[in-house]
């Protein structure tokens, strides 16, 4: 167990972000390998891990769940952060844990088999004392029996065994009983963990009821658990396209507007299902979900998540897809960034710091396979940050007051994934070379600053040539944050009066990727002094 007492800073600012993205673009994170990229990579990953702890420790007291060699999960962080409460500097120096970490670790060890790839329910965001959790979906019959050593994995059973068959042989009955008992045990531990974390809402992003491979149900989901073990939870089926769909997004020159998923494909059998009381305040016609394009669908699902976590009860929520490393980090990251922009979480972090934390913790350390996704053109990671331009209005604010429009310090995150193509026609749109540029532009009445993170191939000479030749700029997202009062109470509700985004449109498109020209803004390139 460890409290947040101010971990040593492990490289800060834009250079640290560049190093993070370089590492992310080289190899998938593996806890047992120290990152998965060799000895030099291991040292870099260790710096990334330390940096995440330092950033969490700015605003929270936390304990650590140890996963040093991937014993719990091979693609979860080696030190999993359990946020306990918001804190001031004084409180961090007097940290007293409110959780029995040994009990929590035991619950996790017992429950991990219930979920696909052992990716158990893991809390990642703390808001108003509620946990936002992530995981994979439930393990199905094929995976669970494969991992427990049973020999009849290919006998054709389903994940809740023999379904509705009436005429069972004595041998089949024995198998059915064993199957049911195993699912009762492992899913029972999963349910205990969910209750320990006070999770009530389970948001399932799968477009399938069960994932089938080679005729086997390799994963299941809470919504089709025949024994209704999850009946005490509020289940929301909010089907969202998998990472394969984002190949179409890339092929359309990264334009999500007008891109509609084909819901008539054979494997798509999970309809949208949300309890009516949870939809009344959102003014969304959910019956039209199959006609929404990717922008509208993502917007509406994010509104739903914000509404759930912002409710009056003390209940947390779980978000999951199949493996929990594509669609799940997309919505976890959007939720983290949106709540941060409202000043409701991570209140002390600067724009480049929350960006670092989101990329490092939500995506990299939880095992997103960026290298594989880029090789296939499935750019869901890029979409996450490119999408921020669509959630700048007050309707996405969790605060009680309207978001401020301007005149407050703000920032732009420009071309977050502009990891420039080395050559035209490459199948991979991101490379492993980056540079970072800080920008600022004057506000209408005072200094409206913006901080842009620009990731592109680079030697200094190349960058200078690019900057000199650039004739237009992508549009920019402006996120304005309310300054925090020095005498604000430590509890988060006191921050709900803050506001966040402007209505300015923004984009993070790569150079040359957009056919639209926009007016050239005033630029001020900030040299790299002070980078560490």
């Amino acid at each position: 167990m460890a409290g947040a007492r101010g971990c040593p800073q492990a490289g800060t600012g834009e250079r640290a972000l560049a190093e993070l993205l370089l590492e992310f673009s080289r190899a998938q994170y593996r806890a047992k390998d120290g990152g998965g990229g060799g000895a030099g990579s291991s040292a870099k990953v260790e710096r990334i891990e330390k940096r995440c702890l330092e950033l969490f420790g700015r605003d929270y007291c936390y304990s650590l769940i140890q996963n040093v060699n991937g014993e719990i999960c091979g693609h979860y962080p080696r030190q999993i952060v359990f946020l306990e409460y918001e804190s001031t500097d004084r409180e961090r120096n007097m940290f007293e844990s409110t959780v029995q970490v040994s009990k929590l670790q035991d619950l996790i060890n017992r429950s991990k088999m219930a979920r696909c790839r052992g990716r158990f329910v893991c809390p990642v965001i703390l808001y108003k004392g509620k946990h936002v959790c992530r995981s994979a979906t439930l393990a199905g019959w094929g995976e669970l029996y494969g991992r427990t050593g049973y020999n009849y994995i290919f006998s054709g059973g389903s994940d809740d065994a023999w379904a509705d068959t009436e005429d069972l042989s004595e041998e089949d009955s024995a198998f059915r009983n064993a199957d049911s008992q195993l699912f009762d045990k492992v899913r029972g531990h999963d349910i205990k963990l969910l209750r320990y974390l006070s999770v009530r809402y389970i948001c399932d992003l799968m477009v399938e009821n069960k994932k089938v491979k080679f005729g086997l149900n390799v994963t299941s989901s809470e919504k089709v658990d025949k024994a209704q073990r999850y009946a005490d939870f509020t289940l929301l089926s909010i089907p969202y396209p998998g990472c394969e769909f984002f190949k179409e997004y890339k092929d359309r020159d990264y334009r999500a507007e007008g891109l509609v998923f084909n819901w008539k494909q054979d494997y798509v059998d999970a309809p949208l299902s949300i309890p009516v009381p949870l939809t009344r305040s959102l003014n969304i016609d959910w019956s039209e979900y199959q006609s929404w394009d990717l922008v509208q669908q993502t917007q509406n699902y994010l509104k739903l998540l914000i509404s759930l976590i912002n409710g009056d009860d003390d209940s947390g929520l779980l978000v999951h897809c199949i493996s929990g490393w594509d669609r799940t980090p997309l919505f976890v990251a959007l939720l983290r960034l949106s709540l941060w922009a409202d000043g409701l979480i991570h209140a002390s972090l600067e724009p480049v710091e929350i960006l670092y934390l989101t990329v490092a913790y939500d995506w990299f350390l939880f095992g997103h396979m960026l290298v594989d996704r880029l090789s296939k053109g499935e750019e869901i990671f890029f979409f996450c940050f490119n999408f921020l331009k669509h959630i700048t209005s007050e309707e996405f604010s969790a605060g009680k007051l309207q978001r401020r429009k301007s005149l407050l310090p703000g920032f732009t995150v420009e071309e977050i994934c502009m990891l420039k193509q080395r050559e035209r026609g490459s199948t991979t749109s991101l490379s492993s070379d980056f540079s970072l540029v800080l920008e600022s532009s004057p506000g209408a009445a005072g200094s409206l600053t913006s901080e842009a993170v620009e990731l592109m191939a680079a030697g200094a000479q190349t960058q200078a040539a690019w900057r000199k030749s650039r004739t237009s700029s992508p549009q920019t997202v402006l996120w304005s944050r309310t300054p925090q009062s020095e005498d604000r109470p430590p509890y988060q509700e006191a921050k709900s009066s803050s506001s966040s985004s402007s209505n300015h449109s923004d984009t993070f498109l790569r150079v040359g990727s957009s056919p639209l020209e926009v007016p050239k803004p005033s630029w001020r390139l900030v040299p790299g002094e002070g980078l560490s």
Side-chain angles (χ1 to χ4, degrees):
M1 182 179 76
R5 297 181 180 271
C7 299
Q9 293 194 16
T12 59
E14 295 75 30
R15 184 173 297 170
L17 182 59
E19 183 179 87
L20 162 63
L21 286 158
L22 276 165
E23 186 61 32
F24 197 5
S25 68
R26 287 174 179 152
Q28 182 188 19
Y29 176 83
R30 293 182 175 86
K32 65 179 181 180
D33 299 332
S41 176
S42 180
K44 293 176 182 177
V45 170
E46 186 174 345
R47 286 197 293 272
I48 293 168
E49 293 167 331
K50 287 182 177 179
R51 179 64 171 155
C52 286
L53 296 183
E54 189 268 326
L55 293 174
F56 276 120
R58 297 273 190 88
D59 298 283
Y60 298 94
C61 284
Y62 61 80
S63 293
L64 293 176
I65 302 165
Q66 298 299 330
N67 183 40
V68 177
N69 295 307
E71 302 95 336
I72 307 176
C73 180
H75 294 102
Y76 272 15
R78 291 186 293 188
Q79 292 183 309
I80 300 167
V81 176
F82 182 87
L83 300 175
E84 297 198 36
Y85 53 88
E86 277 197 294
S87 62
T88 63
D89 289 337
R90 182 173 180 274
E91 288 170 329
R92 282 194 293 277
N93 292 329
M94 302 172 60
F95 173 66
E96 293 185 9
S97 179
T98 60
V99 65
Q100 292 182 319
V101 176
S102 58
K103 179 180 179 180
L104 178 59
Q105 189 122 11
D106 182 64
L107 275 173
I108 289 170
N109 279 318
R110 292 174 182 272
S111 69
K112 63 182 181 180
M113 286 185 59
R115 300 260 161 194
C116 177
R117 304 180 189 273
R119 295 175 67 89
F120 59 88
V121 176
C122 184
V124 288
I125 297 174
L126 184 65
Y127 172 58
K128 290 185 176 179
K130 310 172 191 179
H131 290 291
V132 175
C133 303
R134 62 181 294 170
S135 73
T137 189
L138 294 177
W141 187 90
E143 180 177 4
L144 189 54
Y145 274 99
R147 282 198 270 137
T148 53
Y150 280 75
N151 294 323
Y152 59 95
I153 186 171
F154 296 110
S155 62
S158 63
D159 82 340
D160 269 43
W162 313 90
D164 300 317
T165 306
E166 295 182 359
D167 298 324
L168 295 173
S169 67
E170 184 176 345
E171 183 179 8
D172 286 344
S173 295
F175 282 150
R176 177 175 183 173
N177 289 334
D179 184 88
S180 178
Q181 290 171 10
L182 179 59
F183 276 94
D184 284 343
K185 181 178 180 179
V186 297
R187 292 186 180 174
H189 290 312
D190 182 66
I191 289 169
K192 287 180 181 179
L193 179 58
L194 287 166
R195 287 175 175 161
Y196 184 85
L197 298 171
S198 299
V199 170
R200 174 184 175 186
Y201 305 104
I202 299 178
C203 302
D204 182 352
L205 296 164
M206 294 171 59
V207 299
E208 313 95 334
N209 285 322
K210 302 177 181 182
K211 184 69 174 180
V212 179
K213 285 190 176 182
F214 309 114
L216 287 175
N217 294 312
V218 293
T219 74
S220 183
S221 61
E222 299 88 355
K223 59 183 178 282
V224 291
D225 181 77
K226 292 191 179 76
Q228 296 187 338
R229 299 174 183 89
Y230 294 86
D232 290 339
F233 298 90
T234 301
L235 306 181
L236 297 89
S237 175
I238 48 175
Y240 189 84
C243 61
E244 301 87 353
F245 183 64
F246 289 84
K247 174 67 164 61
E248 297 185 40
Y249 166 68
K250 175 181 179 292
D251 291 344
R252 296 178 84 251
D253 201 18
Y254 306 98
R255 287 180 292 108
E257 296 86 350
L259 179 57
V260 180
F261 181 67
N262 179 9
W263 297 95
K264 299 188 181 300
Q265 298 173 81
D266 292 340
Y267 69 93
V268 178
D269 60 358
L272 184 139
S273 177
I274 306 171
V276 172
L278 300 180
T279 66
R280 287 173 180 156
S281 63
L282 294 175
N283 195 28
I284 296 171
D285 185 355
W286 295 97
S287 66
E288 298 293 321
Y289 79 97
Q290 292 190 357
S291 66
W292 296 340
D293 65 15
L294 187 58
V295 171
Q296 190 175 8
Q297 186 179 21
T298 310
Q299 286 176 324
N300 289 340
Y301 285 8
L302 181 60
K303 288 179 187 177
L304 176 64
L305 295 179
I306 292 172
S307 174
L308 293 175
I309 198 63
N310 209 37
D312 294 331
D313 60 9
D314 296 326
S315 302
L317 67 87
L318 168 66
V319 180
H320 75 75
C321 51
I322 295 178
S323 293
W325 54 29
D326 290 306
R327 289 167 284 185
T328 298
L330 167 63
F331 281 97
V332 168
L334 291 176
L335 190 57
R336 189 186 301 279
L337 290 168
S338 185
L339 292 173
W340 170 85
D342 286 333
L344 299 174
I345 62 173
H346 302 293
S348 70
L349 297 191
E350 296 299 323
V352 73
E353 293 172 332
I354 190 65
L355 177 61
Y356 186 100
L357 183 63
T358 301
V359 173
Y361 200 72
D362 296 334
W363 289 92
F364 176 59
L365 294 180
F366 274 87
H368 176 66
M369 298 189 293
L370 182 62
V371 178
D372 176 79
R373 299 299 183 251
L374 294 178
S375 70
K376 298 174 181 176
E378 298 167 354
E379 297 204 29
I380 189 171
F381 175 71
F382 174 69
F383 171 79
C384 175
F385 298 95
N386 191 22
F387 178 76
L388 294 176
K389 63 179 177 280
H390 297 294
I391 57 171
T392 59
S393 63
E394 289 85 356
E395 60 188 320
F396 298 97
S397 174
K400 295 178 181 179
L401 298 181
Q402 287 190 341
R403 298 187 179 199
R404 298 182 188 270
K405 305 292 186 182
S406 60
L407 308 182
L408 291 173
F411 77 98
T412 63
V413 180
E414 184 186 14
E415 302 172 40
I416 170 67
C417 291
M418 193 180 68
L419 318 184
K420 196 176 181 184
Q421 287 180 297
R422 285 194 171 93
E423 57 184 26
R424 191 175 297 275
S426 169
T427 59
T428 300
S429 61
L430 307 186
S431 79
S432 60
D433 300 318
F434 315 89
S435 70
L436 299 147
V437 179
L438 288 179
E439 301 177 331
S440 67
S441 57
S447 60
L448 179 64
T449 62
S450 58
E451 182 167 314
V453 178
E454 198 170 276
L455 311 173
M456 59 179 297
Q461 186 174 2
T462 303
Q463 293 176 24
W466 174 79
R467 293 167 187 161
K468 184 176 180 180
S469 64
R470 183 167 181 165
T471 58
S472 65
S473 169
Q475 302 166 39
T476 55
V477 171
L478 176 65
W479 293 77
S480 295
R481 298 192 59 194
T482 301
Q484 296 299 313
S485 170
E486 292 181 0
D487 59 349
R488 92 178 148 78
Y491 191 60
Q492 280 174 317
E493 284 186 338
K495 294 182 287 182
S496 63
S497 63
S498 63
S499 82
S500 72
S501 300
S502 116
N503 276 335
H504 297 301
S505 177
D506 203 302
T507 190
F508 310 101
L509 297 179
R510 296 164 176 73
V511 173
S513 67
S514 172
L516 300 177
E517 291 245 330
V518 297
K520 182 178 179 180
S522 58
W523 292 78
R524 179 168 66 87
L525 300 181
V526 179
E529 65 268 11
L531 298 180
S532 58

